[in-house]
Amino acid sequence: MGWNVPPFFAKGRKLPLRLWLPYDPSSTSVNYYFTVVFIAIATLYDGSSTIMDPLLGGLVYHATGQLKILKYNLQHLDKHLEHNLSKSSEQVIEFHSVYKHLESCIEHHKQILWFVDEYEECFSWSIFCQFSGSMLCVSFFCISLILVPFNSVEALTYVVAIFTVTFEILFYCHYGTLLYEENNDLINAICMGPWYKYDVKIRKSLLIIMERSKRPLRITAGKVVDVTIRTFVSILKTSYSLIAVFNSYY
């Protein structure tokens, strides 16, 4: 932000960047200030994207890591037996230590669900803005790619830009898919454990967790579009269709 302030108060009409423009920005005050504002918005958007991408993706992966820990604890509940008690497969396990650990797992699951809900409330529209901006960039880059010779330096620049922005979208979709899959695997983790050895009280608690995990745990963009690999594939198909249409037109 500090870098964008001096052009507004500096003597003369000198832009902070060397740009090619189809008009003379120093011809009138309107052109000059319009161009300076455009550069300021562009640089601020790039800066915010650089900060927001690892933050938003990292928080989703944090929730995914907590689900992995929860899966391990639920699958190995029998490891929390008291040492002086028998572990015979024919004896029903109804020890207080196991149920106490199961209570902590239930509370852990509730906290994970609360964390994802808070994440959705705080960052869903931020992800939507990131998605919208990235898709607009890909669209403009695709149009520009059609208008320049394919064996030129400009074409290579646009191709690199398309791959870079596409990877930004993939970054969100990848972690959103991991979160969704880890939540679905909670049922498998419980079934892989020795649940048949536990008493009725413990089994009922496990069933509660299994029923709760049936609710899909998704990250959305603007609470409209699911941030998953399926969405990423749809974006790629749309981009390819756009390129094909413009290619046939020109």
Side-chain angles (χ1 to χ4, degrees), residues 189-202:
I190 294 174
C191 292
M192 291 295 291
W195 57 268
Y196 48 87
K197 299 180 182 179
Y198 304 143
D199 66 345
V200 177
K201 188 177 181 181
I202 295 178

Side-chain angles (χ1 to χ4, degrees), residues 216-234:
L217 202 59
R218 295 191 180 100
I219 300 300
T220 63
K223 300 182 180 180
V224 177
V225 181
D226 292 337
V227 183
T228 60
I229 294 296
R230 182 175 297 179
T231 303
F232 176 73
V233 174
S234 300

Side-chain angles (χ1 to χ4, degrees), residues 97-140:
S97 58
V98 177
Y99 188 75
K100 185 176 181 180
H101 181 69
L102 180 58
E103 286 182 334
S104 66
C105 290
I106 295 174
E107 182 63 26
H108 189 193
H109 192 210
K110 289 171 59 179
Q111 292 296 324
I112 294 173
L113 296 178
W114 172 83
F115 178 82
V116 174
D117 289 339
E118 286 293 307
Y119 180 93
E120 274 280 286
E121 188 68 25
C122 295
F123 300 116
S124 179
W125 287 104
S126 298
I127 297 176
F128 181 80
C129 293
Q130 293 287 83
F131 260 52
S132 302
S134 299
M135 292 174 64
L136 283 175
C137 289
V138 171
S139 301
F140 285 122

Side-chain angles (χ1 to χ4, degrees), residues 14 23 27 52 65 67 78-79 91 117 121-122 126 135 138 145-146 148 153 174 188 199 209 214 218 221 236 245:
K14 185 177 180 181
Y23 60 90
S27 59
M52 293 297 290
L67 283 172
D78 56 327
K79 289 189 176 182
Q91 183 179 6
D117 289 339
E121 188 68 25
C122 295
S126 298
M135 292 174 64
V138 171
L145 184 61
I146 299 298
V148 298
V153 178
H174 171 67
N188 295 333
D199 66 345
I209 298 179
K214 289 181 180 180
R218 295 191 180 100
L236 290 183
V245 169

